[in-house]
Amino acid sequence: MSESELERLIHHMRTIRGTATDAWAKGFAGSILRQSRKSTWRPSEKQITMMRRLVSQMFEPSDLVVIDE
């Protein structure tokens, strides 16, 4: 994982913490943000996988309506 990807994921964790309706996702994002303040912290593979999954879900359309003309 590159530093730029990690920074991007952490940036999106702020949004997830503030807007998630799922308590687990909100708590996970808050935990990542707290841990990321430590200069020696690096996410585990499991954390990276979950961060990527949560961020990708942010950009999935939730209410897709298809209109046939």
Side-chain angles (χ1 to χ4, degrees), residues 5-45:
E5 182 185 11
L6 180 58
E7 288 176 23
R8 181 182 64 84
L9 291 171
I10 290 170
H11 172 78
H12 289 303
M13 290 295 109
R14 291 181 186 97
T15 302
I16 292 169
R17 182 187 60 190
T19 62
T21 56
D22 180 86
W24 184 89
K26 192 176 281 259
F28 176 81
S31 175
I32 291 295
L33 289 169
R34 282 188 301 278
Q35 293 176 66
S36 70
R37 291 185 198 131
K38 299 175 186 168
S39 61
T40 58
W41 176 78
R42 291 294 173 252
S44 68
E45 285 300 317

